[in-house]
Amino acid sequence: MSNPSLLILPGDGIGPEVMAEVRKIIDWYGAKRGLVFDVSEDLVGGAAYDAHGTPLHDDTMAKAQAVDAVLLGAVGGPKYDVLDFSVKPERGLLRLRKEMDLFSNLRPAQCFDALADFSSLKKDVVAGLDIMIVRELTSGVYFGEPRGIFKEGNERVGINTQRYTESEIARVARSAFDLAMKRGKKLCSMEKANVMESGILWRDVVTEVSREYPEVELSHMYADAGAMQLTRWPKQFDVIVTDNLFGDLLSDLAAMLTGSLGMLPSASLGAPMENGRPKALYEPVHGSAPDIAGQGKANPIACILSFAMALRYSFDQGPEAARLESAVEKVLADGVRTADLMGPDGGVPVSTTEMGDAILAALDASL
Ligand code: IPM
Ligand code: MG
């Protein structure tokens, strides 16, 4: 049997720096755990635009379709603000999501004990928080037609369309129910059924799918109330399922509850391939952070934890994923901090590479 394959797309800004640390972790698994990956690397986002005039070359798209999993760093930066919408770095990422049909985006919001003081909320509201947002990722207003900026009389009108089919709702609902079964068996679905027909359909279909999962306790919430409840008492939630745009907003909100956007990974999953593995792309929730790029200040943990998610969801290596997550927790408990994790009392932050090395040392110690 050939080794599992990984395509690495570091992207822009801090992407390449944090991905360099992930490569060290991947090499560690090859050397110390006999988990050898065939790794290839390519360009995405602004980096791809600079080289090829497109944020995602067709060859790269084809490679992404062929591998077992894609690991992506981040895309975008002020340098590319002037580009035409159609070739902006973000279009590269959206094309990957759409063409790989990665409809289920898993965004955990987990509060690490060592960082509970970092949240802007009171410690008891966030300590021990562990929720999972499942965001629909390939439809809704991000992709609906008609879209564009049109002339209407003597003014322009900007149009985007929220559109969901029953099957699109049902498949992401199933993936959320499946996850809920493996976790706390509680699922909250969020939409705006009070204002949007697509929300009415969403609620209907999620309710229908719930009959396949009698053990899961399903609730519904309007997305605005959901945002309010997430800040009021986030621990009332286990799994949340929502559409593309609400999921974009709510996952940033949930991420910040944990006090540290630099810590959170994500998995974007599609239908199973021939080998039974889901089509998959893993990426940190944070962006390309151009303000600190190239300075060795970035926190590589979100990207490293994204690889842990790959171990769990693409490669059936749950215990090895847990090993990596524990290594991260140990390093944080030991007080190792990148600049984004420095509290108000200050201290001396470690660099991106030092954080990666500390995690490697913790992995060694786990053997
Ligand atoms: C995200 C980002 C993307 C999105 C951007 C970069 C296109 O905000 O992954 O949450 O809006 O989906
Ligand atoms: Mg976002």
Side-chain angles (χ1 to χ4, degrees):
M1 274 242 324
S2 57
N3 299 324
S5 54
L6 276 175
L7 173 64
I8 294 195
L9 302 174
D12 307 323
I14 60 170
E17 293 161 63
V18 295
M19 200 58 91
E21 301 313 303
V22 177
R23 299 244 9 194
K24 296 196 313 208
I25 307 279
I26 294 171
D27 291 345
W28 185 90
Y29 274 95
K32 302 287 173 71
R33 305 299 301 155
L35 264 175
V36 181
F37 294 92
D38 285 337
V39 181
S40 53
E41 198 167 310
D42 212 332
L43 303 172
V44 70
Y49 179 83
D50 290 338
H52 307 300
T54 163
L56 187 74
H57 196 281
D58 289 345
D59 291 349
T60 316
M61 186 68 241
K63 278 188 214 167
Q65 296 283 19
V67 291
D68 292 315
V70 179
L71 279 180
L72 188 139
V75 295
K79 179 179 160 197
Y80 306 105
D81 285 349
V82 295
L83 293 185
D84 187 72
F85 182 73
S86 64
V87 288
K88 280 209 195 300
E90 291 77 7
R91 303 311 302 171
L93 176 57
L94 292 168
R95 180 174 173 203
L96 280 164
R97 291 174 178 172
K98 186 69 179 175
E99 292 192 21
M100 293 171 75
D101 204 16
L102 305 171
F103 59 87
S104 178
N105 180 214
L106 278 38
R107 298 193 163 186
Q110 221 181 333
C111 186
F112 289 81
D113 282 344
L115 302 178
D117 283 323
F118 281 69
S119 177
S120 50
L121 299 188
K122 293 199 190 85
K123 189 168 178 172
D124 68 312
V125 177
V126 295
L129 179 71
D130 177 9
I131 61 183
M132 178 74 87
I133 296 193
V134 180
R135 168 189 176 193
E136 199 291 325
L137 201 60
T138 50
S139 186
V141 77
Y142 271 62
F143 297 99
E145 299 281 348
R147 66 182 299 166
I149 300 175
F150 305 98
K151 196 89 184 172
E152 211 175 82
N154 48 18
E155 66 171 352
R156 290 174 304 159
V157 49
I159 296 180
N160 290 91
T161 302
Q162 167 84 336
R163 179 180 194 277
Y164 271 107
T165 64
E166 289 183 281
S167 52
E168 284 170 340
I169 301 167
R171 65 181 185 171
V172 72
R174 276 196 190 95
S175 82
F177 277 108
D178 286 339
L179 261 175
M181 282 299 290
K182 293 187 195 142
R183 297 174 45 107
K185 299 194 175 168
K186 243 171 59 176
L187 177 64
C188 182
S189 169
M190 296 187 186
E191 27 57 17
K192 288 277 290 176
N194 50 343
V195 224
M196 297 164 76
E197 285 80 358
S198 61
I200 296 176
L201 185 69
W202 183 281
R203 192 175 279 221
D204 259 19
V205 174
V206 172
T207 305
E208 270 166 41
V209 171
S210 74
R211 297 196 188 107
E212 299 162 28
Y213 299 88
E215 281 177 58
V216 176
E217 180 197 317
L218 171 68
S219 60
H220 303 275
M221 228 178 246
Y222 298 140
D224 54 345
M228 185 267 282
Q229 290 296 343
L230 266 171
T231 35
R232 191 186 68 83
W233 189 246
K235 284 187 250 181
Q236 71 188 279
F237 298 107
D238 176 25
V239 182
I240 292 171
V241 64
T242 188
D243 76 12
N244 204 342
L245 184 59
F246 293 143
D248 184 41
L249 306 181
L250 294 171
S251 64
D252 263 26
L253 191 161
M256 211 51 220
L257 296 176
T258 71
S260 44
L261 203 50
M263 300 288 301
L264 294 174
S266 79
S268 304
L269 307 176
M273 301 184 282
E274 252 166 49
N275 60 14
R277 293 178 175 135
K279 274 255 161 84
L281 181 146
Y282 299 87
E283 60 176 317
V285 169
H286 65 66
S288 61
D291 52 323
I292 58 160
Q295 299 170 34
K297 286 185 185 165
N299 182 353
I301 291 180
C303 206
I304 288 172
L305 291 176
S306 298
F307 175 63
M309 287 188 94
L311 287 172
R312 176 171 291 119
Y313 293 106
S314 281
F315 303 115
D316 255 337
Q317 297 285 346
E320 293 300 338
R323 178 195 299 278
L324 182 50
E325 288 156 357
S326 303
V328 168
E329 240 169 276
K330 163 147 197 316
V331 162
L332 292 173
D334 289 348
V336 182
R337 301 274 188 272
T338 40
D340 57 307
L341 303 178
M342 300 307 301
D345 326 328
V348 184
V350 301
S351 68
T352 310
T353 40
E354 284 166 335
M355 179 57 94
D357 291 341
I359 294 169
L360 281 177
L363 280 174
D364 273 333
S366 77
L367 293 177

